[in-house]
Amino acid sequence: MDIRQRLEEREDTLSPYAMKSRLSRGRMVEEEPCSMRTCFQRDRDRILHSKSFRRLKHKTQVFITPLGDHFVTRLTHTLEVSQIARSIARSLNLNEDLAEAISLGHDLGHTPFGHVGEEVLDELLPFGFRHSEQSLRVVDVLENLNLTYEVREGILKHSKGRKRILEWPNDISTLEGEICRLSDVIAYLNHDVDDAIRAGIITPSDLPSEATHTLGISRSQRINTFVKDIIFSSSAGKLDMSPPVLEAANLLHEFLFQRVYSVSANCTEAHRSRRILRLLYQYFNSHPEKLPPGYQGEEGTVDYIAGMTDQYAISQAKDISK
Ligand code: MG
């Protein structure tokens, strides 16, 4: 028996609601299984070693660089989501490797300059632009990772917009995918509060007191409340939160949209980022010969621009305007 088979057998002790790697619907192109890793562990490693993953460190989450070294980037956000998802998956005896793989891949399709970038491409393109669809395109086409169905599904369906927490369509076939979707919200609710205070957009006393009363004030208190609450409120294959914590989370969520995201999307840096992306889009669309090899047409322009880091987009725009 090889190591992978032993690891797969170990998964028999997981909850009956866990997605077992042996039962995966598999890859689009069939491959010889690895002798050391389950299919989900292998997917996680493929994502981690991709170039798109490395570029996350220079992509904005909410607050556009270069405000300071302690602001969350797409990379640290991704790692926080992954850690929260793993803690929940492990405690509920679900497949931690699957939760980790989905989490590490979920935001690979994000544009430079955070949601401002996504909004610009969405306006410019006839069929719109959604980062979750682009994340799937990154792993499927641009990085050609040939991932399993369950990881690809979790990546594609992680996004939930402004909907109230947990009132999402019931459209993910694994609990690990649902955990990733919830962990994404928990991570950004937590770090965006911190970053907004750090950026001077709000002060701690602006936070809705009903929310801080339930969740705690510090970063560690908030995370701890959320993760514990999810673990102890979930049961029998259903992911849940207790009514007071869910209410506090929704309050904080709405507060961030009203008081923080609207401000960060209208600052000088955000307007400059919009101009840069429009310029890049117009330029590469009318000069397709300037796209790097492998990128073609409007699709290639979008792939190229969406893949850029903030700094690379800025330097490209400078070169073009010379
Ligand atoms: Mg995310």
Side-chain angles (χ1 to χ4, degrees), residues 4 6 12 59 62 78 100 142 154 168 182 187 193 236 242 297 302:
R4 172 184 50 82
R6 212 168 62 218
D12 291 340
K59 287 191 177 197
V62 173
T78 295
E100 184 179 21
L142 303 173
W168 305 319
L182 183 55
V193 165
S242 68
V302 175

Side-chain angles (χ1 to χ4, degrees), residues 36-50:
M36 293 183 315
R37 296 163 300 170
T38 68
C39 56
F40 299 140
Q41 292 173 337
R42 198 181 202 184
D43 284 1
R44 172 205 57 205
D45 294 350
R46 286 182 182 182
I47 293 167
L48 186 74
H49 294 291
S50 70

Side-chain angles (χ1 to χ4, degrees), residues 17 19 98 102 150 153-154 172-179:
Y17 304 104
M19 179 68 219
L98 174 57
I102 298 170
E150 293 75 17
E153 181 200 46
I172 305 185
S173 67
T174 68
L175 270 177
E176 290 83 353
E178 287 185 37
I179 287 179

Side-chain angles (χ1 to χ4, degrees), residues 245-257:
V245 173
L246 181 58
E247 188 50 39
N250 275 316
L251 259 177
L252 202 55
H253 200 226
E254 207 35 50
F255 172 82
L256 284 171
F257 271 98

Side-chain angles (χ1 to χ4, degrees), residues 115 159-168 181-182 184-190 192-193 207-208 211 215 222 226 241 245-262:
H115 288 282
S159 196
K160 55 265 121 213
R162 201 172 170 166
K163 289 194 196 79
R164 283 174 66 82
I165 295 163
L166 288 176
E167 291 180 15
W168 305 319
R181 183 157 65 180
L182 183 55
D184 189 20
V185 183
I186 301 306
Y188 73 66
L189 277 183
N190 198 45
D192 289 352
V193 165
L207 294 168
L215 301 172
R222 279 193 306 259
F226 278 132
M241 289 166 90
V245 173
L246 181 58
E247 188 50 39
N250 275 316
L251 259 177
L252 202 55
H253 200 226
E254 207 35 50
F255 172 82
L256 284 171
F257 271 98
Q258 285 177 14
R259 292 287 309 273
V260 176
Y261 302 146
S262 54

